[in-house]
Amino acid sequence: MTDWARLDVSYCQYEVTTVPGAVGLGIHTVGDTLVQVGGPSQVTGFCGVHTGWIEARLRVLSGPPTDVPAGWDAISEATLWSPSGRVSVIGLMGGVAEPLVDVAVPRGLIRVRVHARHRLGETVRTDDDPPEQHELHLWAVREETPWRTVLADREVRGWEQKPAKAAEWAMLSLVPRPSTRPAFLPPLPPDPYEDDTGLARVTVVRHRPAPVDLPVGVLPVGDLQVRLERVDAETLRWSWATADAPIFPEPLTTLPDDEPTTVRLTTGPDGVTLRHEGVRGRHAVALGLIWDHLLDGTGAYPWVETLRGQAAAATARVEEYRRLRAEQEKKRWGGPPPSDRVRELRGQAQPLARLDRRLLDRIDALPADRQREVACWAARRAMRVAGLEQLSWIAEALAAAEDGRPLPHAFTGQGGTAAYHRLLSDPEVPRTTIPLRPDPKAFGAQGVTEMLQQAAAFPALTALVNDDPLAAAIDAVHDAAIAHGDDRDRFLAEAHAALPGNCSLL
């Protein structure tokens, strides 16, 4: 047993939690005036003090208590899933008392019984009143049973129980959507609070005083479904499967549980007892909330509309993304996106599309040998307009490419660095300029009005090093067009005129 500790509470609440930061079921859904179920890993305790402190302590028991101790005003209990074997009691707004943090408890399902006394609000409390006290008893269990009031509080607030809302939350908690974490980020480490390795499976138990009708068949759960198949008069098999018609644009395929489990109905003089056997411990509380709703016999599945709404929203987001992507692609390519083959290229495909989209598509449609011819033709035209065609070392490179031979090492080694250096240092290389008409939105373009024509033309020749004839043709044609300066449109028209025939361009 821990010592009494002062715990700061807010809004008359504190939390008993086994998973720090877990988001659970909202209060006033299922529970009483002392304990509200918050999900598998959390229950909320209610105080008389609105904002201030109470005294609290924990007792970890070896088994369920055999009696109800006297001296308490209210006693209630619920089940928690403790994957790490730790439990903490914290104030709603983060109030912490060290003896109540990370208290060791049995790992797996535990039962929490909350005892409370002296629950007086600030408006009626006096200095002569004893402090409000809450004592929590915890012990290991193998069966998940509903929350219950052990000793009724004198204060009656009349909160409406909402089993359908609880069932909706519970089912959605079992079928979470995949993470949207970007793929370029490293994967998150496994969640230790999801680990049930080495823990035995448990049983969910529910009781009704009158006969019940179970929804034998298929329970729709969005991209998944639950199959309830009858084995005999008192036994059914519960199993998860993917739905025949998923509803999300990226369907969920991971099942909450790959193993079928057994549902048994036993009828006795006091009513019907349902035992859902062999369920994963971390699913037990959620399945209990689902059964509470199903056994009410309304025939409704409150999670269905929620999942449909989520799917519709996800589909709308996907369609909006596709629309925006299509607009961006159209802007980048000057029309509908070209073939996947062209879109994968990293060179001058997009710049050529912005110069002459139809020419890009026509080059893409050529067979490989014709693409290589186009590349050589464009490179020679670029060398000619820049006055480089007659230089021996450039003429040698052009001839090698046109004959299907490798270019000299100066063009192939280290990205052609040696050839570029020779271009800039060779005294026989002419020095002419052409107008530069860059994209006005391009970084660093402001104030630059012309460029060295030979430097603009030379990449058309080095493009011939590329083993991919399509990439070589696109890059060479683009760079040759740029090298023509104000005669760019004439060059592009000549390229169009040269493409349709089957005769050689060279």
Side-chain angles (χ1 to χ4, degrees), residues 375-441:
C376 293
W377 173 82
R380 182 168 288 280
R381 291 298 302 271
M383 297 305 99
R384 184 177 300 166
V385 77
L388 300 173
E389 186 179 21
Q390 302 305 318
L391 296 180
S392 60
W393 63 281
I394 289 180
E396 177 186 351
L398 275 172
E402 291 166 354
D403 292 343
R405 294 181 285 111
L407 272 68
H409 180 72
F411 290 84
T412 58
Q414 296 182 338
T417 301
Y420 275 104
H421 286 169
R422 185 169 182 179
L423 175 74
L424 299 177
S425 61
D426 189 341
E428 295 185 13
V429 172
R431 297 290 189 270
T432 55
T433 61
I434 54 174
L436 176 64
R437 310 190 190 284
D439 183 345
K441 297 181 181 179

Side-chain angles (χ1 to χ4, degrees), residues 444-463:
Q446 293 77 9
V448 181
T449 59
E450 60 183 25
M451 67 182 299
L452 184 66
Q453 188 175 30
Q454 290 68 36
F458 200 68
L461 178 57
T462 60

